[in-house]
Amino acid sequence: MEEENLISKKELLKVTGISYGQLYRWKRKKLIPEEWFIKRSSFTGQETFFPRKEILDRVEKIKNFKDDVSLDELASIFSPNLSKVILKESDISSHNIVSQPTFTLYKDVHKESSEFNFNELLFMTIVDRFLKSGKVSLGEAKLVLDTLEKNYEKFYGRYCDVVLIRKLGVAVCFLMLIPNEVYVETEAMLVLKINAGECVEQLKSKLTL
């Protein structure tokens, strides 16, 4: 993850006005995912960073809601039991999960599927971002889907980036653990890099509306 997409713990506490104690209490209560606490080496030793957009949005939501509901109730909103999530085809549209072209693409691959668990919905969400970028073809979107289905579980819940590169018209997709930096050879082009963690949070927010 690029430096501009990260915020240090020191800067986070200063910008949001929360205390060290609050931050780690919210972590214990599972209001802030463990995966967002990113350890990196610095000239002072080791420092903790967070994905900037996600943590700032989350802290703002917690501060807005915490006077109206308990921290445990907030935890059930921000960290729902994803293993129980099952949607039918009709729910995909009513929850505005993904666009119709993305769902059609998924159904082309999984013709017999009529119910979808959280990971399947997440894969659709990620593929949807690739398609909506206008930078990838339907064939490349299917490559992204295939890569996710074969490899995502290897990350054991840790956040990763989904990366698509293209060289001489041939696309390659792979997953990279966050934090990371991507360098490609001069004849290859980085088409798009999608943060799977952002897609997880986007999907959870839709499912809890």
Side-chain angles (χ1 to χ4, degrees), residues 105 109 123 126-131 133-148 162-174 189-192:
L105 180 150
V109 177
F123 297 162
I126 293 171
V127 170
D128 202 45
R129 283 203 180 187
F130 274 92
L131 282 177
S133 72
K135 297 179 179 180
V136 304
S137 66
L138 288 175
E140 290 170 337
K142 287 184 178 180
L143 172 63
V144 171
L145 177 60
D146 182 65
T147 303
L148 286 164
V162 186
V163 184
L164 186 72
I165 63 173
R166 192 184 297 129
K167 180 179 179 181
L168 301 177
V170 178
V172 176
C173 182
F174 55 92
M189 176 181 68
L190 175 62
V191 180
L192 198 61

Side-chain angles (χ1 to χ4, degrees), residues 1-8 11-12 15-16 36 38 49-59 195 198:
M1 186 179 292
E2 291 83 357
E3 291 294 338
E4 61 267 24
N5 293 330
L6 297 176
I7 184 172
S8 69
E11 183 183 357
L12 173 67
V15 169
T16 61
W36 290 7
I38 301 169
F49 292 85
F50 302 86
R52 179 181 293 272
K53 180 179 183 301
E54 290 88 341
I55 191 65
L56 291 176
D57 286 348
R58 179 60 56 87
V59 169
N195 185 313
E198 291 180 4

Side-chain angles (χ1 to χ4, degrees), residues 119 122-123 126 142-163 172-177 196:
N119 271 3
L122 174 61
F123 297 162
I126 293 171
K142 287 184 178 180
L143 172 63
V144 171
L145 177 60
D146 182 65
T147 303
L148 286 164
E149 292 180 334
K150 291 179 178 177
N151 298 286
Y152 184 76
E153 65 178 13
K154 298 174 184 176
F155 287 84
Y156 301 102
R158 296 174 295 173
Y159 285 171
C160 63
D161 281 334
V162 186
V163 184
V172 176
C173 182
F174 55 92
L175 309 183
M176 293 186 66
L177 189 64

Side-chain angles (χ1 to χ4, degrees), residues 21-32 61-63 65-79:
Q22 281 179 303
L23 176 65
Y24 281 88
R25 186 183 180 207
W26 293 346
K27 178 187 178 184
R28 290 194 302 273
K29 287 288 188 177
K30 300 188 183 303
L31 301 182
I32 300 175
K61 287 178 180 177
I62 294 172
K63 291 170 69 176
F65 291 149
K66 69 182 179 67
D67 292 333
D68 299 319
V69 298
S70 69
L71 293 184
D72 288 334
E73 288 173 316
L74 277 177
S76 68
I77 294 174
F78 294 138
S79 301

Side-chain angles (χ1 to χ4, degrees), residues 83-102:
S83 65
K84 294 183 178 180
V85 172
I86 298 290
L87 293 190
K88 297 181 179 180
E89 285 193 33
S90 58
D91 298 324
I92 302 293
S93 175
S94 63
H95 283 76
N96 192 30
I97 302 298
V98 295
S99 64
Q100 188 58 47
T102 297

